[in-house]
Amino acid sequence: MEFRIDRNALTDAVAWAARVLPARSPVPVLGGLLLEADGAVLRISGLDYEASARIEVGAETVRAGKVLVMGRRLLDVCRVLPESPVVCAVEGSRFSVTGGGARFGLSVLPLDDYPALPPLPEVLGAVDSEEFAAAVAHVTVAAGRDDTLPTLTGIRLGLDGDTMTLAATDRYRFAVRTLGWKPEAADITADVVVSARRLTEIARSFGRSGMVRVALDVGSAGFELAGMRTTVRLLDGRLPRHEKLFAMADPTTAVTDRAPLVEAVKRVAVVADGDSPLHLTFSDSSVLLQAGYEDDVASQRLPAVLEGADELTVAFNPSYLMDALASFDAAVVQFRMMGPGQRAMITGRTAGDEPEGDPTHRHLLMSVKPLV
């Protein structure tokens, strides 16, 4: 095989496909990328036991064919190539990469040992790529990090008519984001769990324009946009439903500006020892942030509005609170609180919002009992 291609196009395509390659694998060929040149198209594919990726880019094919080369080594080569057109060819047992006077020769891997790329599952509909990436980012902060509880490391992908629901929880917090999408049929429903790490990578990699086609079957999820196609194995189990947990009867409500609160949390949490709680005392016109104990303490007061009580003190893990606040884009955040040591719901608010805040993005935190 032999083909000619723009250096940047090759680098971007190799980097996109190489995302799914395992860092270490007992099967050497799984560290490879499959390059297939035919006509005006170069296809680059990679896979491991959990995910696969394939991308198509424009190229001038001199001799059609395919080759399997170590993906991360090829990516390293692409990144140091001079800015010039690149010529790639199979020469005996080597794959040559030439451009701008630089020439590299890479060993090839046996094609016969390379497993077939899994097919894309049935396409169920499409969602705007920018909205999808934002929604995934909103909820992934609440996903678990403990691999001994694999289901909690995932994001729930729920489909119900023209509504898509993304949700994640690590048992101490619970983030939910709903958004519109375009289903292929009006009666489509689904409820699956996808690795939060994988879904975040996928959503980010598609960029900010176009409609991502969403595909599902009993064991995998697939996503496709503009010549990019990726699949990921579903996680076993189901995440708990959030409806009853999110229902709050007669909560105390507080509203404050988000950006100053974020900065205050960062500042006051400096003296928080480990995950010792950060206290928020809301009154009718302010919120007092406090952290630390004995001689190492910090505090800051900000404007806030409290409704439903004269005063209320709640306390949170400062890291969890910071993650929750950072996941919002709104200028104002609202706290709906059941009391010390109980549930607290955070939502975004804008000037035109209803009193309960934005219903499409909600983040539930369990408060801890304030230290006496």
Side-chain angles (χ1 to χ4, degrees):
M1 72 177 296
E2 182 178 351
F3 61 89
R4 295 184 175 93
I5 189 171
D6 176 77
R7 180 258 187 194
N8 291 332
L10 178 63
T11 302
D12 291 345
V14 169
W16 193 87
R19 294 176 304 103
V20 301
L21 298 181
R24 297 181 181 84
S25 174
V27 184
V29 293
L30 291 184
L33 286 177
L34 179 64
L35 281 65
E36 303 172 273
D38 186 15
V41 175
L42 171 67
R43 285 183 294 275
I44 304 177
S45 308
L47 77 163
D48 70 2
Y49 293 114
E50 294 183 356
S52 72
R54 191 190 77 183
I55 184 170
E56 295 183 352
V57 291
E60 178 189 347
T61 300
V62 179
R63 297 194 314 273
K66 56 185 177 180
V67 65
L68 185 67
V69 297
M70 292 302 296
R72 299 190 189 281
R73 178 56 57 86
L74 177 60
L75 180 57
D76 290 341
V77 168
C78 290
R79 285 172 170 165
V80 298
L81 283 171
E83 292 283 350
S84 69
V86 178
V87 177
C88 300
V90 175
E91 301 172 347
S93 61
R94 289 192 179 278
F95 178 67
S96 67
V97 182
T98 306
R103 180 181 175 86
F104 297 85
L106 304 179
S107 57
V108 301
L109 300 171
L111 282 168
D112 293 342
D113 296 340
Y114 196 66
L117 207 69
L120 190 73
E122 178 187 2
V123 175
L124 302 184
V127 62
D128 180 83
S129 62
E130 186 172 2
E131 290 184 15
F132 182 61
V136 171
H138 288 160
V139 303
T140 195
V141 296
R145 308 291 190 269
D146 185 356
D147 290 333
T148 64
L149 299 169
T151 302
L152 294 183
T153 66
I155 291 176
R156 175 188 172 228
L157 173 59
L159 305 175
D160 186 6
D162 60 359
T163 299
M164 175 183 290
T165 300
L166 301 174
T169 180
D170 61 2
R171 298 179 299 175
Y172 306 104
R173 45 190 172 166
F174 206 136
V176 174
R177 177 74 158 82
T178 59
L179 67 159
W181 79 307
K182 296 182 178 180
E184 293 284 317
D187 59 349
I188 285 178
T189 60
D191 189 352
V192 300
V193 181
V194 185
S195 161
R197 179 178 65 86
R198 294 286 189 183
L199 194 59
T200 299
E201 289 177 350
I202 291 168
R204 287 175 177 171
S205 72
F206 281 137
R208 293 178 173 267
S209 62
M211 298 295 288
V212 177
R213 300 173 75 203
V214 180
L216 289 174
D217 61 21
V218 294
S220 64
F223 305 89
E224 186 177 38
L225 171 65
M228 297 175 285
R229 172 184 294 185
T230 186
T231 64
V232 59
R233 182 177 60 83
L234 299 177
L235 298 179
D236 294 330
R238 292 286 184 269
L239 289 181
R241 300 299 292 255
H242 65 274
E243 288 84 356
K244 291 184 178 179
L245 189 63
F246 279 27
M248 293 185 174
D250 300 322
T252 300
T253 302
V255 177
T256 188
D257 290 340
R258 187 185 70 88
L261 181 60
V262 168
E263 293 304 313
V265 170
K266 291 180 183 177
R267 189 173 296 117
V268 174
V270 166
V271 299
D273 198 10
D275 291 327
S276 63
L278 187 150
H279 300 74
L280 285 77
T281 300
F282 292 95
S283 61
D284 60 349
S285 62
S286 69
V287 55
L288 176 65
L289 288 75
Q290 296 175 292
Y293 62 96
E294 295 181 350
D295 294 330
D296 297 328
V297 295
S299 65
Q300 183 171 351
R301 189 178 295 275
L302 298 172
V305 176
L306 181 69
E307 296 181 358
D310 294 331
E311 184 176 283
L312 178 63
T313 298
V314 290
F316 300 103
N317 176 305
S319 296
Y320 291 175
L321 179 59
M322 190 67 239
D323 286 344
L325 295 173
S327 72
F328 286 90
D329 302 316
V332 175
V333 288
Q334 174 180 272
F335 290 79
R336 301 176 72 217
M337 300 164 288
M338 299 303 295
Q342 300 185 58
R343 292 168 292 156
M345 176 75 71
I346 303 176
T347 55
R349 283 278 299 271
T350 62
D353 272 345
E354 295 297 321
E356 63 269 16
D358 180 7
T360 67
H361 180 195
R362 293 170 288 172
H363 196 114
L364 189 78
L365 287 177
M366 290 303 299
S367 64
V368 297
K369 291 185 178 181
L371 297 176
V372 178

